[in-house]
Amino acid sequence: MLVGGFIGFKVYQTFLGPSVTDEQAYLYVYTDDTYERVLQRIKDQKIVKHPDLFAYAAEKMDYKDKVKPGRYKLTPGMNNRRFIGNLRGGYQDAVKLRFANIRLKEDFAGLLGKNFEADSAAFSAILNNEAVAEKYGFTKDNFYTMFIPNTYDIYWNTSPDKVIERLHDEYLKFWNDDRLQKAKALHLTPTEVSILASIVRGEALHNDEMPAIAGLYLNRLKKGMLLQADPTVIFSNNDFTIRRVLNRHLTIDNPYNTYRYKGLPPGPINMPPIVAIDAVLNPEHHEYIYMCAKEDFSGYHNFAKTVAEHQVNARKFQQALDERNIKK
């Protein structure tokens, strides 16, 4: 009876007893991992209480030849039978990919590299690949408009090309008939809407002002005026520390400099959020064609219909900058 009880206890402890610790939240199994590597990682990271019992259970459950890559959630107290069953079946937890307020493609590649098995270099290569962009109907310059900031559930070991494919599917869902019709009414393509939205995002510190700013730039486009958007100048100079745009900044010969080049730039200057895209699609209707940051530094703008009105507003703001000794 004692021997039988001991054997029964060992069987229970090996397969059904609490095994997984609270040392780690996830076990990452890489695409090229062997069983031996996975077992060593489990030991090194103290993922289970008794690695030898886990190894015995894994052998009996034939896990050795059924290693599947993935990001596996570790629930403290989970038994070996359930844990190994998840590993064998590839029952991993999806990554909740959240992104917003990302300025450059390099930043986006870095974020993707932190969330998936592939590194940032692999994502950067695909984001800057002209052939990939053309496959989805974009250029390398405007490809960035395909990525709509939101939260997406995607498996950790999904390859970069499949991640991009998934985000393209989400892009198609985002641009529903309603949004497409609104873009058409503005005589803009979805890509052009997003490029303009990136400028609106660069100008606006407050979401509630975005429709007014969008309306202003649309007025300028209709009149064939230069957009003269300061955020495009900052982008052109590749200096995001600029707080005060000066004449020397305006002289740079860059297609993104809307003080020199008419119309929209060839691509976005940031990844515009949905609120900015919808602000362009639902602009405030007015006759303003000039704006200047308010002198109270509230983040809002003074709008004007004429050069004379704008010059008054500009002097107020310039004086406020001087008083605060903001020179650049």
Side-chain angles (χ1 to χ4, degrees):
M1 288 180 64
L2 287 174
V3 171
F6 177 76
I7 293 173
F9 173 73
K10 275 298 181 184
V11 169
Y12 169 80
Q13 190 178 30
T14 300
F15 293 97
L16 302 176
S19 177
V20 173
T21 68
D22 60 0
E23 292 286 329
Q24 303 290 335
Y26 294 94
L27 168 66
Y28 292 88
V29 179
Y30 293 83
T31 297
D32 61 351
D33 269 346
T34 62
Y35 166 72
E36 288 72 22
R37 287 182 187 169
V38 175
L39 183 59
Q40 190 60 50
R41 191 172 301 125
I42 288 172
K43 290 179 179 177
D44 293 343
Q45 297 181 6
K46 298 181 173 61
I47 286 173
V48 295
K49 295 178 181 178
H50 305 290
D52 291 343
L53 294 181
F54 173 87
Y56 179 78
E59 181 181 347
K60 293 301 181 184
M61 293 179 67
D62 198 27
Y63 173 54
K64 189 172 184 178
D65 299 320
K66 296 179 180 178
V67 174
K68 292 182 173 66
R71 170 181 176 265
Y72 296 93
K73 184 172 178 58
L74 300 171
T75 304
M78 181 189 294
N79 61 47
N80 285 333
R81 183 183 178 191
R82 176 71 179 276
F83 183 25
I84 295 167
N86 287 346
L87 296 175
R88 279 186 52 183
Y91 302 134
Q92 59 172 306
D93 255 28
V95 170
K96 284 200 173 295
L97 177 65
R98 298 182 181 90
F99 56 90
N101 299 320
I102 301 176
R103 178 177 282 131
L104 303 172
K105 276 193 283 189
E106 294 75 36
D107 301 327
F108 190 41
L111 177 72
L112 294 172
K114 289 179 181 178
N115 279 275
F116 296 101
E117 180 180 9
D119 61 17
S120 60
F123 281 105
S124 183
I126 202 167
L127 289 173
N128 289 291
N129 188 309
E130 187 77 49
V132 173
E134 289 177 356
K135 171 185 172 183
Y136 292 111
F138 299 87
T139 66
K140 190 170 74 170
D141 286 323
N142 64 34
F143 190 28
Y144 204 33
T145 65
M146 193 185 84
F147 306 103
I148 306 297
N150 215 324
T151 301
Y152 304 100
D153 289 337
I154 306 177
Y155 288 121
W156 170 78
N157 58 310
T158 303
S159 62
D161 61 319
K162 292 298 183 183
V163 171
I164 300 303
E165 184 178 309
R166 165 66 189 284
L167 294 177
H168 177 253
D169 291 342
E170 298 296 337
Y171 170 85
L172 295 178
K173 292 176 185 176
F174 174 80
W175 281 103
N176 54 33
D177 288 341
D178 180 56
R179 287 191 172 102
L180 289 173
Q181 287 302 317
K182 288 178 178 178
K184 185 177 181 181
L186 295 170
H187 305 289
L188 297 175
T189 66
T191 297
E192 290 170 332
V193 169
S194 290
I195 291 173
L196 181 53
S198 75
I199 296 175
V200 171
R201 170 66 183 86
E203 290 280 16
L205 288 180
H206 304 285
N207 291 349
D208 61 351
E209 197 181 44
M210 286 185 178
I213 295 174
L216 183 148
Y217 284 124
L218 287 168
N219 287 344
R220 281 183 163 263
L221 286 173
K222 289 175 187 176
K223 291 177 180 291
M225 299 174 65
L226 289 166
L227 292 183
Q228 295 183 322
D230 286 358
T232 68
V233 176
I234 293 170
F235 183 88
S236 299
N237 282 270
N238 194 31
D239 182 357
F240 301 104
T241 66
I242 296 173
R243 298 173 64 193
R244 185 173 186 172
V245 173
L246 305 173
N247 287 331
R248 62 184 173 83
H249 298 130
L250 304 180
T251 60
I252 188 168
D253 188 8
N254 185 304
Y256 283 84
N257 180 0
T258 58
Y259 275 80
R260 294 195 64 171
Y261 289 85
K262 189 177 289 187
L264 293 167
I269 60 171
N270 56 57
M271 182 187 289
I274 291 174
V275 66
I277 296 172
D278 283 341
V280 173
L281 294 174
N282 302 277
E284 185 176 309
H285 298 286
H286 52 61
E287 297 180 3
Y288 297 129
I289 53 176
Y290 301 101
M291 68 178 181
C292 181
K294 282 192 172 184
E295 64 278 8
D296 61 2
F297 292 92
S298 62
Y300 286 97
H301 294 79
N302 287 314
F303 294 88
K305 298 176 184 178
T306 67
V307 173
E309 291 174 352
H310 176 61
Q311 287 176 341
V312 171
N313 294 331
R315 279 195 293 271
K316 290 179 183 177
F317 184 61
Q318 288 163 5
Q319 183 178 355
L321 288 174
D322 290 339
E323 289 173 354
R324 289 164 175 77
N325 199 33
I326 298 174
K327 302 297 183 182
K328 62 179 182 177

